[in-house]
Amino acid sequence: MGYVKGLYPPARCSQPFGNCSAGNSDKEPFIVVHNMLLAHAKAVKRYREQFQRKQGGSIGIVAHTHMYEPLRHVESDHQAVNRLLAFKAGWIFDPLVFGDYPPEMRQFHRSELPRFSTEETECLKGSIDFIGINHYSTLYAKDCIHSHCPSGGDHRFIKGFAYTTGERNGIPIGDPTGVGSFFVVPRGMEKIVDYVSKRYKNMPIYVTENGYSPPQAVPNSVHDVNRIEFHKGYLAALARAIRKGADVRGYFIWSLMDNFEWAGGYSSRFGLYHVDRATMERVPKLSAKWFRHFLANRRTMIAGTGANATVM
């Protein structure tokens, strides 16, 4: 968003990805991530050498990633799914676990993708104690190497030469939400956690973000039954991944309260608590009460619908 499309600060990009006064969408994102990874590894090295023994802390890193499913029942779309996951999660995690970028990226970005020195590789390798993933949704993936895809999109760059969409034959992959690329697809949680667990030798995993914002047309209500159903579905999927062996240590709902959500401002409402913008009063939504019961391992039931719904 900052260096490909240029929609967030520092607003650097180039055509056809975006319209910015300066930037290079084909090169700068690789440099930015490269420097971020090296800075992370050096900070971890310093922490482990000077502070970890006394403080007992651990350091991980977080990447946002969708899960993907093939748009068509063809081998090329299955390969597109694998590339997308490597270009999303693997771009960040592979260097910190294995010491280099994913081979799926090296194959297509030979000259653009920076190289790590031997010393840098040794510093990078194993420089995380846990993996954090922000996961909200699943999209369909279509191969763009052997198939025609829309021109001008970032599918040829950071999306592993794959086109993503939330619809197949006009039918959404899941219920829409207040964010255009986020659909309610609980099965994706099980799949993405399973993928990360297997690719990275069952390292400890934290789901650092997972949440629901209602469509913009839905009235801002504290009786948020849809949010409860969202978390029920995603937590059940997460439990299935854990039962299959994934070492999941924690799960964080985004968010405690309605917040200022990037360029969406106050229009997106992810919170368990409603915030009155005029008075700043915080009111627990039905989902906050449900989550309190869930954490206390109490059986819950939702009585009524809409404005009359209540947690029992």
Side-chain angles (χ1 to χ4, degrees), residues 124-183:
L124 282 162
K125 193 185 300 182
S127 62
I128 48 175
D129 301 311
F130 63 85
I131 285 174
I133 55 173
N134 294 351
H135 174 74
Y136 291 83
S137 186
T138 297
L139 294 171
Y140 291 121
K142 178 186 177 183
D143 168 68
C144 292
I145 298 175
H146 306 99
S147 307
H148 173 73
C149 289
S151 61
D154 59 358
H155 55 264
R156 66 178 186 168
F157 174 64
I158 58 170
K159 288 189 176 178
F161 301 89
Y163 170 71
T164 59
T165 176
E167 293 186 353
R168 176 194 280 158
N169 299 325
I171 302 174
I173 193 170
D175 289 340
T177 70
V179 179
S181 63
F182 290 2
F183 298 84

Side-chain angles (χ1 to χ4, degrees), residues 46-67:
R46 176 68 60 87
Y47 182 75
R48 287 175 174 174
E49 290 174 349
Q50 299 188 17
F51 304 101
Q52 191 172 39
R53 184 187 299 271
K54 179 180 179 180
Q55 296 179 353
S58 60
I59 301 179
I61 202 164
V62 176
H64 166 82
T65 180
H66 282 73
M67 186 58 204

Side-chain angles (χ1 to χ4, degrees), residues 87-271:
F87 273 60
K88 286 287 188 177
W91 189 8
I92 306 302
F93 298 136
D94 266 39
L96 303 180
V97 177
F98 306 122
D100 196 11
Y101 293 115
E104 296 93 335
M105 293 189 74
R106 288 280 185 210
Q107 179 183 355
F108 293 98
H109 289 297
R110 292 185 178 89
S111 59
E112 303 100 326
L113 205 56
R115 294 280 177 181
F116 297 112
S117 68
T118 302
E119 182 182 358
E120 289 170 341
T121 295
E122 289 305 309
C123 186
L124 282 162
K125 193 185 300 182
S127 62
I128 48 175
D129 301 311
F130 63 85
I131 285 174
I133 55 173
N134 294 351
H135 174 74
Y136 291 83
S137 186
T138 297
L139 294 171
Y140 291 121
K142 178 186 177 183
D143 168 68
C144 292
I145 298 175
H146 306 99
S147 307
H148 173 73
C149 289
S151 61
D154 59 358
H155 55 264
R156 66 178 186 168
F157 174 64
I158 58 170
K159 288 189 176 178
F161 301 89
Y163 170 71
T164 59
T165 176
E167 293 186 353
R168 176 194 280 158
N169 299 325
I171 302 174
I173 193 170
D175 289 340
T177 70
V179 179
S181 63
F182 290 2
F183 298 84
V184 181
V185 191
R187 64 181 180 271
M189 175 67 84
E190 178 182 1
K191 291 179 179 180
I192 191 63
V193 170
D194 189 54
Y195 171 84
V196 170
S197 177
K198 289 178 178 177
R199 188 172 181 110
Y200 302 110
K201 306 175 182 178
N202 204 24
M203 285 191 67
I205 297 171
Y206 288 87
V207 178
T208 40
E209 283 187 29
N210 174 242
Y212 174 84
S213 177
Q216 304 294 341
V218 175
N220 194 3
S221 172
V222 297
H223 301 280
D224 56 345
V225 175
N226 286 347
R227 179 172 287 105
I228 294 173
E229 294 304 317
F230 175 95
H231 286 294
K232 279 184 178 180
Y234 275 77
L235 282 165
L238 182 60
R240 291 194 296 270
I242 293 171
R243 285 195 290 269
K244 289 161 64 177
D247 185 7
V248 179
R249 304 288 181 90
Y251 169 88
F252 295 83
I253 285 180
W254 187 263
S255 175
L256 172 66
M257 66 188 75
D258 290 338
N259 61 301
F260 188 87
E261 187 66 31
W262 293 94
Y266 295 125
S267 61
S268 296
R269 303 183 302 276
F270 281 94

Side-chain angles (χ1 to χ4, degrees), residues 14-30:
S14 58
Q15 296 289 345
F17 304 100
N19 184 22
C20 302
S21 59
N24 187 324
S25 297
D26 286 309
K27 294 182 179 180
E28 288 186 0
F30 291 122

